[in-house]
Each structure stands twice: as structure tokens, then as C-alpha cells.
Amino acid sequence: MEREQVWRHESGPAAAYDRIGVGYRNVRRPDPRLGALIRQALGGARTVVNVGAGAGSYEPEDAEVTAVDPSQVMLDQHPGTRKVKAGAEELPLADGSFDAAMAVLTVHHWPDPHRGLAELRRVSRRQAVFTWDPEHRPELWVVEEYLPEIRELDHARFLPVAEVAEALDAHTVLPFPIPHDFTDGFQTAHWRRPEAYLDPAVRAASSTFATLPASVVEPAMERLRADLASGAWQRRHARLLEQESVDYGYRLIVAGER
């Protein structure tokens, strides 16, 4: 077995995921439908750099993947052998050294997203970035009805999709409606499974939930618990419970070589 390689490249403050990343893989299980979309965008690339790699979700199995993440906790959960401890804004990698770069729900964590996106273009010939558009509607009900504080946090962190596409000089923007049985437990995944938000482990795998203080989150979850017990939530969202998927503004942005 190839010896695991870990390069240490200190850039910027300690990553938030050093604190919240423990147990991440138990909740954030890659969904095959999103995986198929990302694989198609990568287009058979033989060498791929995954920036903000986390635990390695959605990496193509038939490519040589280099995982980049500023969090040692997340790198320790990554199953690969090529690992780089670094921030997106200063990749210790040569120009054009990869067929493709991927970044999945990570750009909003970068201190300087535009610089990080420029780095993706520098080190690869094709880029695939999965992100969320803060300008999209409808809004997830848990934000609108229980935790509007999430809105303030997310709108401060996420770049509009149009801005990400412009920074990458993208040629394709693909919508990804979230299926009701989506397995990757990020914030919107449980839109038709409201009881999931009551689970502290589920909330801990969402950086926004994990950032908010318990004094804000716990009362909101008690209101949700009461609404579920009384049936008020079900009555309010009867039409939502009939839907198979909802477009909540998640997009895969593809740039570079076609």
C-alpha cells in the first residue's frame, strides 16, 4: 500500500472543521445522484485536485486524486494517500498540474473566495464547483420559520452563483434539485424529514448550525419539536410532503476545457 503523504502548508487561521469535523462522515454520506453529476462534469479526468476535500466525498474512483484541506481533522478522515494541508487561496501546486479541480460546498468557507477560484484555474485545466446561490428562492423552511439567523450567516458567506461563474469564466451551470431521500446530510438535505433537524449529530455536520450558539438553536428546535408533535408542521407543509425533489438553489458550475 502506498505510504500516506501529508504536506503541511500553513495559511490563514485554523479551520473551523478542526472543531466541528469529528464524526462528519457518519452524517455526510455521498449521494450517488450528485456523484453522477460531478463525475460527468469531470469528464474522465485522470488527475484531480479536490480543494476543500473534507472526507473525500464525490471524488472519482478512476482518477488519481490529491486532497487539499486546511483542517487536519478532515484530512485524517480522508481515505486517500495524497493529501495537502493548505488553504484554497495559496495552493502549493504547480500551474496546470491537474486535468481537473473540484470543490464541493466549500467556497463559502474560504477567506478569499475569488483568490481561491483563481487558484483552481491556475492549477487545473477544468473546474467543477458545487455551491449554493443565496439569491435563489424558495428558502428552506427551517430558515424562514425557525432560524432566520442562518440566513444572515449564509448570505454573508456564499457568493452568488453568477459571481462564481464569472470568476471561473464558466461555460455551464447545472441545477441540482435536492431529492427527498438525499443521503448527504448538509443543511438542506432534510427538507422533507423535519425530525432530522432535532438530532444534534445532524446539526453538528452543518457548519451553519454548528456556528450558531446553543442559546439560539435549542429554543428554535423546541418550537419545531412542538410543531411536529401537534401536527402543525405537517399541516403547514402538506404540499411539500408530496414533492420528490425541490430546487433550493444548489448548482454545479463547470469551467475550462470541455
Side-chain angles (χ1 to χ4, degrees), residues 51 68 137 161 201:
V51 179
V68 178
R137 294 297 179 272
V161 160

PDB file of all heavy atoms in Angstrom, residues 51 68 137 161 201:
ATOM      1  N   VAL A  51     -10.211  20.484  -3.765  1.00  0.00           N
ATOM      2  CA  VAL A  51      -9.883  21.588  -2.861  1.00  0.00           C
ATOM      3  C   VAL A  51     -11.016  21.761  -1.851  1.00  0.00           C
ATOM      4  O   VAL A  51     -12.180  21.902  -2.223  1.00  0.00           O
ATOM      5  CB  VAL A  51      -9.633  22.885  -3.654  1.00  0.00           C
ATOM      6  CG1 VAL A  51      -9.311  24.037  -2.703  1.00  0.00           C
ATOM      7  CG2 VAL A  51      -8.498  22.680  -4.649  1.00  0.00           C
ATOM      8  N   VAL A  68      -6.933  18.436  -0.836  1.00  0.00           N
ATOM      9  CA  VAL A  68      -6.419  19.646  -0.190  1.00  0.00           C
ATOM     10  C   VAL A  68      -7.440  20.117   0.840  1.00  0.00           C
ATOM     11  O   VAL A  68      -8.628  20.272   0.525  1.00  0.00           O
ATOM     12  CB  VAL A  68      -6.163  20.766  -1.217  1.00  0.00           C
ATOM     13  CG1 VAL A  68      -5.678  22.030  -0.513  1.00  0.00           C
ATOM     14  CG2 VAL A  68      -5.159  20.316  -2.264  1.00  0.00           C
ATOM     15  N   ARG A 137     -34.684  31.509  -4.584  1.00  0.00           N
ATOM     16  CA  ARG A 137     -35.879  31.241  -3.805  1.00  0.00           C
ATOM     17  C   ARG A 137     -36.587  30.047  -4.434  1.00  0.00           C
ATOM     18  O   ARG A 137     -36.485  29.847  -5.633  1.00  0.00           O
ATOM     19  CB  ARG A 137     -36.796  32.480  -3.767  1.00  0.00           C
ATOM     20  CG  ARG A 137     -36.203  33.683  -3.030  1.00  0.00           C
ATOM     21  CD  ARG A 137     -35.969  33.372  -1.547  1.00  0.00           C
ATOM     22  NE  ARG A 137     -35.372  34.501  -0.838  1.00  0.00           N
ATOM     23  CZ  ARG A 137     -34.069  34.726  -0.740  1.00  0.00           C
ATOM     24  NH1 ARG A 137     -33.212  33.894  -1.308  1.00  0.00           N
ATOM     25  NH2 ARG A 137     -33.617  35.761  -0.086  1.00  0.00           N
ATOM     26  N   VAL A 161     -24.184  32.630  -7.301  1.00  0.00           N
ATOM     27  CA  VAL A 161     -23.705  31.705  -8.335  1.00  0.00           C
ATOM     28  C   VAL A 161     -23.191  32.461  -9.549  1.00  0.00           C
ATOM     29  O   VAL A 161     -22.176  32.081 -10.154  1.00  0.00           O
ATOM     30  CB  VAL A 161     -24.824  30.718  -8.715  1.00  0.00           C
ATOM     31  CG1 VAL A 161     -24.570  30.082 -10.082  1.00  0.00           C
ATOM     32  CG2 VAL A 161     -24.943  29.627  -7.649  1.00  0.00           C
ATOM     33  N   ALA A 201     -26.384  15.377  16.222  1.00  0.00           N
ATOM     34  CA  ALA A 201     -25.335  14.898  15.325  1.00  0.00           C
ATOM     35  C   ALA A 201     -25.549  15.410  13.907  1.00  0.00           C
ATOM     36  O   ALA A 201     -24.592  15.741  13.195  1.00  0.00           O
ATOM     37  CB  ALA A 201     -25.292  13.373  15.338  1.00  0.00           C
TER      38      ALA A 201
END
